[in-house]
Amino acid sequence: MTITYRTPDSSEIAGVIAAGELPFGDVAHPEDVAFYSGVVEPERVIVAEEGGRIVGVGAALSYDLSVPGGDAVPLCGVGLVSVLPTHRRRGVASALLRQQHADAVARGEPLVGLMASESRIYGRFGYGIASHRADSEIATAHAALRTPVDVAGRVRFVEPGEAGDLTVACLKALRASTPGIPGGADARLRGRLQRDPEHWRDGAGARMLVAYEDRGLLAYRVKADWQPTGPAHTLLVTDLYALDDEALTGLWAYCLDLDLVATVRTWFRPVDEPLAHLLVDPRRLSTTVSDALWLRILDVPTALAGRRYDADGTWLLHVDDAAGLAQGTYRLEVRNGRAEVRPAPGRPDVTLPVDSLAAAYLGGTRLSGLARAGRVDEHTPGSVRSLDRALAWDPLPWTPFEI
């Protein structure tokens, strides 16, 4: 049979979500269907059908992404790309992505991004790892702070509504300084804090919501473990946002000093999180760094002109893109941290594939490291080093939630 592609109408979204969960080995719970049906954009959903049955799904959400310098660039957030196990290796996922890319181009979105279920898939579609995540664990017996912090009177439990307000306020402030945070997700973030179904808990208890004054928000669960020698509970930090360093330190102090807790685990934290620097014994903090946001550039001039730079200069870049979307040679001229970018002929200073440019775009992946891996070619001596210096940014990009 022939596989066809179409945009479903709004009445079909619940079935689309259920079909999208199946390839991941999940059964869509009614609570999840209700939640995602409320945030999905039906006009940005594509389904693949064969014989009247949905065999593949692709969806997108409209965001804007914080970029170096505090500005934001429109982002097509791809999600729920899935194909039934019975229809693998037939080009369905490739067709879904091509259509999503074309739709993003038509909407004037210069960037498309996603969280990858498997890291081996998306490089061939032009995506590069633009932000990383740190997942950490520490035993509270070895979590003493170099400078003790008293949070008494500064922390309190809050209801989901106030937690949502604090989350939105903190992320808005963080976007002004930190690249990689999607905007336009406020309703989704608030909705997630309003819900706490049993199947989200993975054996842990109900979600706890704690505020540090009006400057930070912590969401966590406790997984109970009663041993013969006493309690050895695990605290699972799901969200932690703060408006300033004092609030951030205070919330970590609260986590590391809770009664009955033997282990604290976190995930989706910034790679440059200062937690290790707060500890008397930093070696006890075990951290794994992995990929977070995979980014793809569709419009090179708009994307490069949308961010700021840490050094001035002029470079001629040739971008290779097998899909032809970003293919071309471009003149990047930076003055006072701002860029003008336009197509230009001539011998390039640097040649790189679009996935390498995307990886370096937010300033967290060094262009020089990509060059050492053979993923950037330098034609003018010193050009990679100077461009690397211009692209690098502090703080490192952070994408704190799944898009």
Side-chain angles (χ1 to χ4, degrees), residues 194-223:
Q194 292 282 350
R195 297 172 181 269
D196 190 26
E198 186 70 34
H199 67 276
W200 283 11
R201 301 181 185 180
D202 194 25
R207 182 196 293 116
M208 305 292 180
L209 300 170
V210 171
Y212 184 93
E213 297 179 344
D214 293 320
R215 295 186 283 146
L217 186 281
L218 165 69
Y220 68 91
R221 305 181 192 279
V222 174
K223 182 174 284 189

Side-chain angles (χ1 to χ4, degrees), residues 65-239:
L65 187 70
S66 63
V67 296
D71 293 329
V73 172
L75 170 75
C76 167
V78 173
L80 207 64
V81 177
S82 57
V83 180
L84 292 188
T86 52
H87 288 71
R88 297 167 65 243
R89 307 292 186 263
R90 294 176 60 179
V92 177
S94 298
L96 290 168
L97 281 171
R98 282 196 299 270
Q99 292 194 42
Q100 289 180 316
H101 293 168
D103 176 66
V105 170
R107 292 170 180 266
E109 295 166 327
L111 302 174
V112 58
L114 52 80
M115 300 290 190
S117 57
E118 295 182 87
S119 61
R120 61 186 176 86
I121 295 175
Y122 292 98
R124 67 178 183 268
F125 295 106
Y127 289 79
I129 303 172
S131 73
H132 291 79
R133 55 184 272 190
D135 301 341
S136 300
E137 178 177 320
I138 188 169
T140 55
H142 305 287
L145 300 181
R146 291 169 60 93
T147 303
V149 175
D150 183 6
V151 299
R154 295 179 179 270
V155 292
R156 68 186 190 283
F157 285 102
V158 294
E159 295 300 317
E162 185 177 356
D165 292 342
L166 278 170
T167 295
V168 169
C170 288
L171 286 174
K172 180 180 179 181
L174 286 167
R175 278 167 49 83
S177 61
T178 307
I181 303 177
D186 293 359
R188 181 179 173 184
L189 292 170
R190 290 179 185 276
R192 188 171 62 84
L193 291 173
Q194 292 282 350
R195 297 172 181 269
D196 190 26
E198 186 70 34
H199 67 276
W200 283 11
R201 301 181 185 180
D202 194 25
R207 182 196 293 116
M208 305 292 180
L209 300 170
V210 171
Y212 184 93
E213 297 179 344
D214 293 320
R215 295 186 283 146
L217 186 281
L218 165 69
Y220 68 91
R221 305 181 192 279
V222 174
K223 182 174 284 189
D225 182 8
W226 294 98
Q227 295 291 323
T229 54
H233 299 351
T234 299
L235 186 145
L236 307 171
V237 177
T238 62
D239 301 82

